[in-house]
Amino acid sequence: MDGNGRWARRRNLPRTAGHTEGEENLAAVVRLAVKREIGWLTVFGFSTENWVRPRLEVRHILGLHKKLFGRVAELNELNVRVQWIGRPFDSPEARTPGYVQKAIIKAINDTAANTGMVLTVAFDYGSRAEIVHAAEAAVAGGCTRVTVEDLDKGMYLAELPPVDVVVRTSGERRISNFLLWQSAGARVYFTEQTWPDFGAPELDAAIAVARQ
Ligand code: FPP
């Protein structure tokens, strides 16, 4: 969801205003995705690399995650099940603060019975750390020859299906440390729109790319 900062700068607003608008837009995109009958939507909310951002910006983004995970009534109305991927809370490197952990756990529990789209939020997430985690789990489980299937099973969310299309906003034309294992063979959709301006035309274009 790139481009919140650029969206704000163009309007002479602080970067945090761009993130606030980005969270609102995510709620709108979730509603649209449900209408389009998308089964799985995974978004990159906060990466393991994002902790180096200015303290106030980090605090603001964490607050927005609490807000997003608090949208349980809305998500239940949409029959959306929430999931999360990131460094397991009990791992030594994990940095998710307690209040965000609580919001994540509550949202997962309170939407667990929903049977529609699965919305997975990546928070304190890095794909390479996830692959290392899967390899460590395989070794700890006694594997002497690690297979693709072993690593599949060791991903943070083994139920996550292979990615159909990776969406990159705001003119960024590179892959980041996001679902690298799961996106083998995925299509990629690039758009110039900043995340807060990402809407139905872009979602439909991404779906069309996925179906090519
Ligand atoms: C990328 O824009 C955005 C982030 C790293 C922040 C996280 C995303 C949001 C707050 C929107 C969705 C909300 C939730 C709670 C999942 P940037 O800051 O890199 O902007 P720039 O590329 O223009 O500098």
Side-chain angles (χ1 to χ4, degrees):
M1 296 179 283
D2 293 293
N4 295 341
R6 272 162 278 182
W7 181 92
R9 195 165 56 234
R10 281 180 206 146
R11 288 162 179 79
N12 279 324
L13 294 169
R15 292 177 62 78
T16 47
H19 295 315
T20 300
E21 192 68 20
E23 194 276 335
E24 287 290 338
N25 195 46
L26 176 55
V29 170
V30 166
R31 284 192 292 277
L32 264 176
V34 168
K35 271 200 199 134
R36 301 294 192 268
E37 300 184 338
I38 288 173
W40 301 78
L41 177 65
T42 306
V43 294
F44 207 170
F46 199 77
S47 74
T48 48
E49 291 84 30
N50 283 154
W51 292 106
V52 300
R53 290 188 178 217
R55 209 159 52 93
L56 285 180
E57 185 179 352
V58 169
R59 197 185 296 168
H60 186 81
I61 295 174
L62 298 197
L64 288 174
H65 278 78
K66 187 169 175 236
K67 183 175 177 196
L68 176 76
F69 286 111
R71 290 179 184 263
V72 165
E74 211 173 313
L75 295 165
N76 281 338
E77 219 166 277
L78 294 167
N79 195 24
V80 169
R81 179 160 66 89
V82 173
Q83 277 293 13
W84 158 76
I85 45 172
R87 292 187 287 203
F89 299 149
D90 60 357
S91 70
E93 314 80 29
R95 291 193 59 181
T96 306
Y99 74 96
V100 179
Q101 291 186 23
K102 269 194 208 139
I104 290 173
I105 293 166
K106 186 162 174 15
I108 292 174
N109 289 338
D110 292 355
T111 63
N114 293 339
T115 54
M117 187 177 84
V118 180
L119 169 67
T120 305
V121 180
F123 181 90
D124 192 29
Y125 174 82
S127 190
R128 304 215 294 183
E130 181 183 31
I131 295 167
V132 170
H133 166 88
E136 280 172 348
V139 171
C143 287
T144 43
R145 287 196 56 220
V146 178
T147 63
V148 166
E149 291 71 28
D150 293 326
L151 291 190
D152 269 339
K153 277 187 241 150
M155 293 294 136
Y156 294 145
L157 263 188
E159 65 165 344
L160 208 63
V163 172
D164 293 316
V165 58
V166 177
V167 175
R168 193 88 212 233
T169 60
S170 93
E172 296 289 342
R173 287 185 173 264
R174 60 193 168 81
I175 294 299
S176 60
N177 190 15
F178 185 57
L179 300 182
L180 295 175
W181 179 264
Q182 297 87 342
S183 341
R187 299 185 190 279
V188 188
Y189 168 69
F190 296 111
T191 172
E192 297 299 315
Q193 292 285 17
T194 56
W195 172 252
D197 287 328
F198 185 97
E202 291 76 31
L203 183 66
D204 290 338
I207 294 170
V209 167
R211 291 191 175 139
Q212 271 166 8

